Amino acid sequence: MKNKLLILNHKCNFTMEEMTSYVKVLKTFPLDNIILCPSTCYLASSKLDNITLGSQDVSLYNGGAYTGEVSARQLKSLGVNYSLVGHYERVNYFEESLAVVHKKIENLLQCDITPIVCVSESTFSFGMDSLSSIMNNLDEVLDSFTDSELEKIIIAYEPYYSIGSNIVPTIDDLNKIFKNIHEKYPKSKLIYGGSVNLDNIDSLNTCPYIDGYLIGNLSLDINSIKALSTK
Ligand code: PGA
């Protein structure tokens, strides 16, 4: 996709064998605007050489006796340059708080990894009514960062009701929400995520403040990603 970032969020999918055949095809694409976020267990694979890698999460801790955790420093040592943080599934299923998201952003910046900060309205609001909820959530995780830190941060607006649902906000609502986010955080790149597909991509591409997309379900189908990258 011309100049738009495509962030592929595989979530908890693919065996090693499936990953190997996926990556073989992915490597034939122009990779400049693609960030691949596979399951953590694949981040160290030499099969992923030459692909820009993102992690789906990072530990709250910088290292030590925290069984099962992977720190920002460890991710960096694998060549990971991006990390999702605060994804709605982390908030919803693992009760991650905004304070935890804030700390994870700090850890990533300290290790020179670009945080892709996911934000949604809280579940009590919907559509444009949700603007103040989105801005409050964003302010809570981002307010203490300086302009030069914000320049390194990517903000991904993913309405909770759009994730995996095939429901996308209207373009009018998206334009208003992204304009507000841009006015408050002019230094940060802005991403839309939630049910991005081949049918809605042309209209999403008309939104002037959207610099790219965070793609879940569709990212598992390499042929769809190929089609999307030519849009
Ligand atoms: P979806 O997921 O594209 O399947 O809606 C997006 C995401 O959760 O990042």
Side-chain angles (χ1 to χ4, degrees):
M1 185 169 306
K2 293 153 206 111
N3 303 322
K4 301 268 189 197
L5 263 183
L6 294 182
I7 304 169
L8 311 181
N9 179 10
H10 282 180
K11 308 192 180 184
C12 187
N13 289 296
F14 285 161
T15 61
M16 189 63 202
E17 206 180 356
E18 289 162 344
M19 201 56 202
T20 303
S21 42
Y22 181 98
V23 165
K24 216 166 150 189
V25 183
L26 184 66
K27 281 191 164 179
T28 65
F29 299 178
L31 292 169
D32 291 356
N33 297 325
I34 292 181
I35 300 170
L36 179 66
C37 302
S39 286
T40 309
C41 55
Y42 302 128
L43 285 170
S45 169
S46 59
K47 297 195 169 84
L48 300 181
D49 283 356
N50 303 325
I51 297 177
T52 304
L53 291 178
S55 151
Q56 296 176 14
D57 191 25
V58 63
S59 178
L60 174 60
Y61 303 102
N62 282 321
Y66 300 101
T67 303
E69 292 292 283
V70 180
S71 72
R73 191 160 163 259
Q74 290 174 311
L75 291 172
K76 190 69 191 182
S77 74
L78 296 178
V80 172
N81 286 319
Y82 294 83
S83 177
L84 301 178
V85 63
H87 189 283
Y88 185 70
E89 284 152 13
R90 303 289 321 161
V91 173
N92 194 29
Y93 301 134
F94 303 97
E95 291 168 23
E96 198 162 273
S97 69
L98 295 174
V100 164
V101 175
H102 179 269
K103 177 71 179 114
K104 288 182 172 186
I105 298 170
E106 276 181 352
N107 293 354
L108 290 168
L109 288 173
Q110 267 165 21
C111 290
D112 200 24
I113 295 177
T114 300
I116 302 168
V117 179
C118 302
V119 67
S120 170
E121 46 279 87
S122 306
T123 48
F124 50 78
S125 49
F126 195 90
M128 258 313 277
D129 293 342
S130 57
L131 184 59
S132 56
S133 166
I134 297 162
M135 297 314 288
N136 285 344
N137 289 345
L138 258 184
D139 289 352
E140 238 182 276
V141 292
L142 293 183
D143 248 18
S144 70
F145 294 107
T146 63
D147 275 0
S148 70
E149 287 170 325
L150 288 167
E151 213 164 330
K152 294 179 199 141
I153 288 173
I154 296 175
I155 298 172
Y157 169 55
E158 289 208 302
Y160 70 90
Y161 56 83
S162 292
I163 297 175
S165 65
N166 253 342
I167 300 169
V168 173
T170 66
I171 295 301
D172 259 12
D173 282 352
L174 282 178
N175 277 335
K176 285 174 203 148
I177 290 166
F178 275 100
K179 183 168 186 285
N180 271 271
I181 300 175
H182 171 74
E183 279 167 3
K184 182 80 200 280
Y185 298 101
K187 302 276 180 195
S188 303
K189 270 206 171 80
L190 306 184
I191 298 292
Y192 170 75
S195 296
V196 173
N197 62 40
L198 291 165
D199 295 328
N200 58 30
I201 194 66
D202 288 331
S203 60
L204 287 168
N205 271 340
T206 64
C207 294
Y209 297 108
I210 296 181
D211 299 305
Y213 303 100
L214 179 50
I215 303 161
N217 271 333
L218 196 78
S219 76
L220 301 177
D221 177 17
I222 194 68
N223 293 323
S224 298
I225 293 306
K226 181 166 195 161
L228 202 67
S229 65
T230 61
K231 288 276 180 183

